[in-house]
Amino acid sequence: MFDRRVTVGLALLALVTAGVVLGPLLSPYRYDEQSLDLLGRPLPPSPAHWLGTDELGRDALTRLLHGGRISLAVGLIGALVATAVGTAIGALAGYMGGWTDRILMRLTDVMLSIPALPLVLVIAGLVRPAPLLLVMIIAGLIWTAPARLVRAEVRSLKQRDYIAAARTLGAGPLRIIVRHVVPNTLGAVAVSATLAVGGAIMLESALSFLGFGVQPPTPTWGNLLNKAGPWAVSAPWLSIPPGLLILVTILAVNMIGEGLQRRR
Amino acid sequence: MTTVSRRTLLLGAAATACAPARRRNLNSLVVGLTYDIDTLNVYSTGFLGDVPAAVVEGLLAPDADARYVPVLATNVPTVANGGIVLTPEGGMTITYRLRPGVRWHDGASFTSADVAFTWRAVGNPAFIAESKDGTEDIIAIETPDALTVVCHYGKVVPGFATTLFTFGILPRHLLDGVDLNTAPYNERPIGTGPFRVTDFRRGQYVLTERNPHYWRRDAAGRQLPHLDSLIFKIIPNSNSLLMQIRSGELDLVVATPYDQAKQMGALDGIDLVRSPLLQWQHLDCNFRNPALQDRQVRLAIAHAVDRTALVRALGGFPQPITSVVVPIFPFHDPATPTPGHDPARARAILDAAGWRVDGDGVRARDGRRLDFRFIVQAGKGDDELAQQVIIAQLQAIGILARADNRAGVAYRQARYKGDFDLIYSAWVTGADPIYSRFFASDGANNSLAYANPELDAVLATMEGTLDAEARRVAAFAMQRILAHDLPTIPLTTNVAVVTKRRALTGFTPNPTNMTPFVGAAYWRLDA
Amino acid sequence: MMLRWLLGRLAGAVPTLLGISLVLFLVVHLAPGGPMDVYADNPSVTPAALERIAEAYGLNRPLPVQYGLWLKSMLVGDWGYSIRTGRPVLVEMAERLGPTLLLGGVAMGAALLLSLVLGVVAAARAGQWADRIISGLALVGLSIPVFWLALVLQLVFSVWLGWLPSGGLQTIGVEAVGDRLAHLAMPATVLAVATTASWSRYIRAGMITALGQDHIRTARAKGMGEATVLVRHALRNAIIPAVSIIALDLASVISGAVITEAIFGWPGIGSLFVQSMDGRDYPVLMGILMMGSAAVILANIAADLVQARLDPRIRHV
């Protein structure tokens, strides 16, 4: 039986995903389609444009959903990469111990001590990342949490009999890590991966909100908010929905993570 | 009388807006600045010198029609009045007579020694300045007496008034031997202007108060300035700008971003004043990209852009233009031939030149795609918006332009080094415009790798003579050549949208980079 | 004993700090552009002047030498000059530290109080509706993007209701506590929301563990009042694991209020950081990042010290 939060979280996430995948396909507008008639200032929601239009006459709903694709993709891939890297480093450090452990954990400490958002800002400001590079930068900052978690798991697993048995049978460290250690940490990895998705989406939207992330006309929830900011007073229909979707998505992910954690 | 009604007005505003009541000196004006000031030294700031213009004065200053009027000098030197003498060696000598009885904010007398010092200090290579223009044209300065300055130029420089002594004079008695890069002057500039700086809190505000020794009087003989103080409030977040104008916390914003001006609409007691600027927006093609070396491609781009749509997107504020010379100048040529908005023609031109649409809708020839990196300054909302419109217009003729925007210095770097294919940006000139820096093959700001020897010759004529007719003819030739070569497509000229409280009178817009604050002495708050 | 432990911890932090300085140095110097480029685009800086600037900053030396020189001058307190303003980096930072500490102090103080109350109540009513509501709110608080929350608060309280100023530290020329509080209200709330959510979860978890322990049962069996049990006995134990998280969050406020400060025009370190980003003001960016990192490391050590004081079982020998 799944925890109820996992069910609700998964349902919410499925809803958002379906929306951003299907929405742009069903929409009569392209996300970058401008309307010469509507140029100049945003228009409030209407039957033709359910969430109104922006100041270039583009359909706000279509841009919101299309932007969700980019935001979700960056979040999911970023979390995947971070978890993979973190798991590898954590498993290596935990299993090998000694100097390998000390050096890897010192590196983790270094990365954990540098304030994350300012560092990402500096890097992103210097290189102006395309979405793929942005994913890498984000992953480069959030791999530390899974690394620490997996290391702790591995250290406790190492004491178990079957690992010792495998070792006496002559299995090499790599084989032991891949065959015996990692599979047994999957539960912990799943939890931290879920939480990493939330972290990655938040970082991407913060970066784009400050203008250092994905560049327009490609929309993301973050840069939609960036553009809607100056219009917040007279066109709130542009700034409320992107933030709400970020909130719902991260909430869904956190609920799943929470539920999984409780089950363990 | 005045005071009472003003207070009533304030109470009314506070009551209706329910805003935090403003408590302050009733004869002070609160100005909103949209950027965070780096330094108050007019020669090293990376922004327009709004605050310095009210604090520091030059020998001359441009007026509302971009014509020079005397400030610390007693007249504008010309050949006719003997202020300018052409030398047989091809140079010129300019003599300024200085205004007597002018005092610095600290009470010391202003003399010719200060003028000569300014030239030396700004020209000093150790001083890292934003603008040193004009210093290298002068070969020597003599100061025969305390109120006479004789400047020897190595060549004829018609635009001599645009920079240096117009920007402001530095006080020798305070800065001689001081490192200008780190001098306290940069925080508390001492000038001869109507207001003096009393407090500068970084990221927050600059407080000024009236200069009691100010030399200027109004027509009725009253000592200026009228206002007791000018308060500059730093509000880089444009959202807050709008909110603070609404709540009555701000009285004046001289450069309201268009996206905010669009929303000001009809606010009680607030006027939106539009005034021309010597600034124009343009779309430039970088000749380093082989595809953009093809004139047909540039011509097609020129036919693709729709100025009407750009103006509409920018709230109707800017004015469409067809020449790099903005219409305010007498040598603007209204007959400059310009490719008009005609997407069908643009497509035909590209087809004829062999640029054919391939599978993904982007044109290509011999494997080279019309796929361009398009840069504007990130964070400049109006430019980013215009960029989106241009991208869509180019897409309509099969040209892919991809936004590659950068902020701050990273942007300037790309701009000056030509690290882009297309760029949408603005240039601004002084009241005596110098175009060689943009379009001459060795122009400091020509980052397009554009070079036309014919144009170089025309520009040399234009900027090497004081003969007005010869300059006009050369200017017309320049506009014609640029309209043919199309390294740059002039799109719109900007207007300054001044948001001001109706009670502020005596305000004169200024189209030049000296900003309206050069006239701050005459401003007053009425009922 | 304690002093030796402390010295040991501080010594142990040195390699981490060195590692941080190396990472930051490499990020800034290997990035396309590099610190010199700021000057390169200025038409009035001649090549000769560039050469002199490069020499003055030691930028024409090999990279490892530059790193050594930079490290040395950082150690003796010479953090260089801001490119944007020409003023010493330390002066720039010191000027902005006050507003940031004020904002952070108020926000974190409120967060601590609130999260203690919420955490204890949730734990005491574990599984009941009060707990569910608090836990649900905490989850929302953790998921809400700060920049959006800030925008919504501005809309509601400054624009629609007109109750609070939309930004800034104070009304110019007004030195009144009420005015300061009105300006603090929204940014402090924004900063406190996520923190309160996170801390209350830790305190709740700690409380639940503590309430299940033997000595609590003993205390209850002795007939002590529920409030006494909760606060005197359980909270003391519950707070111990939360201390390290709290310390880290406190430290990160120094550099982490970037978004909040930028939106509310709060003239602190975060705003300075954003402006320095625009101006590629490397010396200032490096200074802020170094100070932020050092604060995190010190906070870790401080957390261990506090934990030792609270928990008699932890002995540093």
Side-chain angles (χ1 to χ4, degrees):
Chain A
M1 260 303 278
F2 269 137
D3 183 294
R4 205 170 71 225
R5 265 167 300 196
V6 179
T7 320
V8 175
L10 279 174
L12 277 176
L13 197 61
L15 201 69
V16 172
T17 312
V20 304
V21 172
L22 299 177
L25 299 176
L26 300 176
S27 163
Y29 309 101
R30 277 197 341 266
Y31 74 90
D32 57 353
E33 179 179 322
Q34 303 172 14
S35 160
L36 209 54
D37 304 328
L38 305 177
L39 212 57
R41 55 182 309 141
L43 290 178
S46 65
H49 299 280
W50 295 352
L51 286 181
T53 55
D54 68 8
E55 52 190 329
L56 292 178
R58 297 178 293 200
D59 182 61
L61 180 59
T62 309
R63 286 183 68 71
L64 180 69
L65 295 177
H66 191 94
R69 291 181 175 184
I70 315 281
S71 293
L72 274 188
V74 169
L76 291 174
I77 302 171
L80 210 67
V81 174
T83 310
V85 172
T87 305
I89 289 180
L92 197 65
Y95 186 82
M96 301 300 285
W99 274 106
T100 320
D101 184 32
R102 248 170 278 173
I103 290 174
L104 287 176
M105 281 306 108
R106 186 64 82 173
L107 181 67
T108 317
D109 278 349
V110 166
M111 294 308 293
L112 275 174
S113 303
I114 304 179
L117 182 64
L119 183 61
V120 185
L121 277 174
V122 169
I123 299 174
L126 291 175
V127 299
R128 284 282 132 185
L132 190 67
L133 188 56
L134 190 66
V135 168
M136 293 302 145
I137 293 174
I138 289 174
L141 274 154
I142 57 177
W143 58 267
T144 48
R148 284 196 151 184
L149 198 75
V150 169
R151 172 176 174 272
E153 288 274 318
V154 169
R155 279 168 73 99
S156 76
L157 276 173
K158 231 172 91 175
Q159 316 303 328
R160 307 268 171 87
D161 294 343
Y162 65 95
I163 305 255
R167 204 177 298 138
T168 46
L169 286 176
L174 187 69
R175 187 182 162 80
I176 295 178
I177 290 179
V178 173
R179 288 292 292 275
H180 300 285
V181 176
V182 170
N184 284 295
T185 60
L186 277 184
V189 170
V191 171
S192 74
T194 328
L195 297 175
V197 172
I201 293 180
M202 198 74 108
L203 260 183
E204 184 279 323
S205 54
L207 271 182
S208 297
F209 172 76
L210 290 172
F212 293 104
V214 176
Q215 298 295 308
T218 306
T220 73
W221 289 335
N223 75 25
L224 285 176
L225 265 178
N226 171 298
K227 295 293 155 221
W231 287 95
V233 175
S234 52
W237 59 87
L238 290 178
S239 44
I240 305 285
L244 214 53
L245 276 190
I246 299 175
L247 170 59
V248 168
T249 308
I250 296 179
L251 186 62
V253 165
N254 282 345
M255 285 172 93
I256 299 169
E258 182 111 323
L260 289 177
Q261 209 160 23
R262 193 62 50 83
R263 240 164 47 90
R264 275 164 41 77
Chain B
M1 272 295 264
T2 313
T3 324
V4 172
S5 3
R6 177 145 176 84
R7 187 175 292 139
T8 323
L9 179 95
L10 284 181
L11 289 175
T16 49
C18 263
R22 24 185 239 167
R23 254 178 299 159
R24 54 166 210 246
N25 184 337
L26 291 176
N27 197 28
S28 75
L29 189 84
V30 183
V31 180
L33 295 181
T34 52
Y35 54 89
D36 188 25
I37 296 169
D38 45 3
T39 160
L40 291 179
N41 183 333
V42 72
Y43 289 100
S44 34
T45 180
F47 302 98
L48 290 180
D50 291 307
V51 180
V55 173
V56 177
E57 289 177 318
L59 299 184
L60 312 173
D63 68 3
D65 299 315
R67 275 190 293 261
Y68 285 102
V69 292
V71 181
L72 292 180
T74 50
N75 62 14
V76 179
T78 60
V79 176
N81 69 15
I84 302 180
V85 177
L86 298 180
T87 61
E89 300 84 42
M92 62 181 192
T93 302
I94 298 182
T95 306
Y96 294 99
R97 299 287 308 162
L98 304 184
R99 193 174 294 280
V102 174
R103 291 181 179 281
W104 293 97
H105 291 161
D106 62 1
S109 289
F110 159 75
T111 68
S112 56
D114 294 312
V115 180
F117 170 75
T118 302
W119 171 61
R120 284 203 314 273
V122 176
N124 181 350
F127 175 42
I128 300 165
E130 185 66 24
S131 167
K132 294 190 171 212
D133 298 335
T135 51
E136 61 289 347
D137 296 335
I138 298 176
I139 45 181
I141 288 189
E142 290 165 50
T143 51
D145 63 59
L147 295 178
T148 308
V149 179
V150 183
C151 306
H152 297 284
Y153 284 80
K155 57 179 184 180
V156 175
V157 186
F160 69 91
T162 307
T163 48
L164 196 57
F165 299 145
T166 299
F167 267 18
I169 303 298
L170 301 171
R172 189 183 79 109
H173 67 290
L174 295 171
L175 293 176
D176 206 2
V178 175
D179 178 6
L180 260 184
N181 294 313
T182 54
Y185 175 89
N186 300 337
E187 309 271 298
R188 289 284 173 91
I190 302 293
T192 58
F195 294 94
R196 61 183 185 192
V197 176
T198 55
D199 193 10
F200 173 22
R201 294 251 183 111
R202 287 180 175 274
Q204 296 189 64
Y205 56 79
V206 181
L207 295 187
T208 70
E209 63 178 17
R210 76 191 295 271
N211 167 13
H213 325 287
Y214 193 52
W215 56 269
R216 212 190 286 245
R217 287 170 187 278
D218 70 2
R222 268 172 310 183
Q223 197 195 11
L224 294 173
H226 294 303
L227 294 172
D228 289 337
S229 69
L230 270 183
I231 297 170
F232 296 87
K233 209 171 165 187
I234 296 164
I235 313 171
N237 181 334
S238 63
N239 232 338
S240 305
L241 196 72
L242 180 65
M243 294 183 204
Q244 298 200 12
I245 286 172
R246 288 192 166 202
S247 66
E249 290 167 82
L250 292 179
D251 300 314
L252 176 69
V253 179
V254 293
T256 321
Y258 293 150
D259 58 4
Q260 297 299 294
K262 284 184 214 170
Q263 301 177 61
M264 297 291 177
L267 284 177
D268 263 359
I270 301 288
D271 287 332
L272 276 191
V273 182
R274 301 174 188 202
S275 70
L277 287 175
L278 304 181
Q279 189 187 53
W280 76 101
Q281 301 282 154
H282 47 91
L283 176 66
D284 291 357
C285 304
N286 192 341
F287 283 57
R288 286 180 192 81
N289 184 313
L292 288 169
Q293 284 173 8
D294 182 348
R295 177 171 177 275
Q296 299 306 310
V297 173
R298 302 197 300 275
L299 184 62
I301 292 175
H303 277 301
V305 290
D306 178 4
R307 292 175 176 78
T308 325
L310 279 172
V311 170
R312 287 253 312 274
L314 296 173
F317 292 105
Q319 299 297 314
I321 52 167
T322 53
S323 157
V324 296
V325 177
V326 297
I328 198 170
F329 289 125
F331 48 90
H332 162 77
D333 180 3
T336 309
T338 308
H341 174 55
D342 190 347
R345 176 120 179 248
R347 281 188 286 264
I349 289 170
L350 290 174
D351 283 338
W355 298 97
R356 297 293 160 82
V357 180
D358 68 8
D360 60 355
V362 179
R363 287 173 190 272
R365 186 174 75 185
D366 308 333
R368 186 181 300 286
R369 279 154 50 92
L370 295 183
D371 174 350
F372 300 126
R373 277 193 311 132
F374 185 6
I375 184 173
V376 308
Q377 184 172 359
K380 222 174 154 192
D382 294 325
D383 284 11
E384 288 176 325
L385 194 70
Q387 181 189 36
Q388 307 279 304
V389 176
I390 295 172
I391 287 176
Q393 290 168 353
L394 294 180
Q395 193 183 26
I397 63 163
I399 293 178
L400 178 64
R402 282 178 299 164
D404 182 26
N405 301 345
R406 295 158 207 214
V409 178
Y411 163 76
R412 295 203 323 184
Q413 225 170 74
R415 179 182 187 174
Y416 283 113
K417 286 189 179 158
D419 183 15
F420 56 81
D421 296 320
L422 297 172
I423 185 170
Y424 171 85
S425 66
W427 287 127
V428 64
T429 66
D432 248 319
I434 298 168
Y435 292 100
S436 58
R437 62 186 315 159
F438 308 124
F439 308 122
S441 39
D442 61 349
N445 297 323
N446 173 359
S447 57
L448 304 175
Y450 165 66
N452 181 340
E454 189 194 349
L455 183 63
D456 288 351
V458 165
L459 287 168
T461 315
M462 185 174 165
E463 285 161 19
T465 176
L466 292 169
D467 177 346
E469 181 54 22
R471 292 185 75 194
R472 196 187 61 83
V473 170
F476 275 41
M478 171 190 80
Q479 293 169 73
R480 206 186 51 245
I481 294 171
L482 286 174
H484 174 270
D485 287 356
L486 292 169
T488 179
I489 302 165
L491 297 172
T492 54
T493 177
N494 284 320
V495 297
V497 184
V498 179
T499 308
K500 67 176 216 33
R501 205 156 291 287
R502 199 156 294 151
L504 171 65
T505 59
F507 179 91
T508 333
N510 193 295
T512 71
N513 54 1
M514 290 300 290
T515 83
F517 291 94
V518 279
Y522 297 96
W523 298 353
R524 59 195 304 161
L525 281 165
D526 295 336
Chain C
M1 280 311 197
M2 197 60 149
L3 188 68
R4 238 182 86 188
W5 171 85
L6 189 64
L7 287 177
R9 278 301 306 267
L10 285 173
V14 170
T16 311
L17 268 174
L18 277 176
I20 291 169
S21 69
L22 191 60
V23 169
L24 295 182
F25 182 83
L26 289 180
V27 162
V28 166
H29 285 257
L30 296 184
M36 279 298 290
D37 267 22
V38 180
Y39 297 106
D41 69 303
N42 183 333
S44 42
V45 176
T46 60
L50 273 182
E51 199 59 28
R52 218 178 3 256
I53 297 165
E55 195 144 322
Y57 286 93
L59 291 173
N60 43 12
R61 312 272 194 93
L63 216 53
V65 177
Q66 281 188 45
Y67 175 66
L69 287 174
W70 175 71
L71 203 62
K72 204 178 103 195
S73 49
M74 288 290 275
L75 285 177
V76 299
D78 172 13
W79 288 29
Y81 289 85
S82 157
I83 289 168
R84 214 167 58 92
T85 65
R87 301 188 321 150
V89 169
L90 281 176
V91 171
E92 290 269 342
M93 283 169 40
E95 215 171 58
R96 305 287 188 131
L97 197 57
T100 294
L101 289 181
L102 174 70
L103 174 62
V106 170
M108 294 299 116
L112 191 58
L113 258 163
L114 258 173
S115 58
L116 281 177
V117 172
L118 292 175
V120 169
V121 170
R125 301 268 179 275
Q128 298 170 28
W129 61 267
D131 177 31
R132 284 164 181 247
I133 290 179
I134 291 173
S135 301
L137 281 179
L139 212 52
V140 172
L142 276 181
S143 314
I144 200 163
V146 282
F147 40 93
W148 183 70
L149 179 63
L151 213 66
V152 171
L153 288 182
Q154 273 185 331
L155 264 184
V156 173
F157 292 101
S158 303
V159 179
W160 294 339
L161 297 175
W163 291 353
L164 293 172
S166 59
L169 180 70
Q170 65 192 92
T171 308
I172 296 173
V174 176
E175 292 293 346
V177 178
D179 179 68
R180 286 297 187 96
L181 285 180
H183 282 83
L184 262 170
M186 285 196 293
T189 307
V190 167
L191 264 189
V193 163
T195 323
T196 309
S198 149
W199 294 355
S200 68
R201 285 156 54 96
Y202 281 100
I203 290 165
R204 175 185 177 274
M207 284 293 288
I208 287 176
T209 313
L211 287 171
Q213 279 165 358
D214 290 344
H215 69 280
I216 301 285
R217 288 200 207 110
T218 318
R220 274 192 179 134
K222 281 186 188 164
M224 286 191 180
E226 186 64 20
T228 322
V229 172
L230 279 177
V231 176
R232 273 264 196 80
H233 296 270
L235 187 57
R236 191 189 164 93
N237 285 317
I239 240 179
I240 294 168
V243 163
S244 47
I245 300 291
I246 292 177
L248 274 183
D249 285 348
L250 281 177
S252 69
V253 160
I254 291 182
S255 58
V258 172
I259 291 182
T260 310
E261 288 191 5
I263 295 182
F264 289 104
W266 193 264
I269 297 278
S271 296
L272 178 65
F273 190 86
V274 172
Q275 282 143 18
S276 306
M277 280 289 306
D278 269 357
R280 277 209 179 185
D281 202 337
Y282 295 90
V284 178
L285 293 176
M286 297 274 273
I288 295 176
L289 281 168
M290 270 318 280
M291 187 183 67
S293 310
V296 170
I297 289 171
L298 286 179
N300 267 325
I301 297 174
D304 285 354
L305 268 177
V306 173
Q307 279 172 334
R309 289 293 301 246
L310 286 174
D311 188 347
R313 283 167 303 178
I314 302 177
R315 284 266 174 265
H316 301 298
V317 185

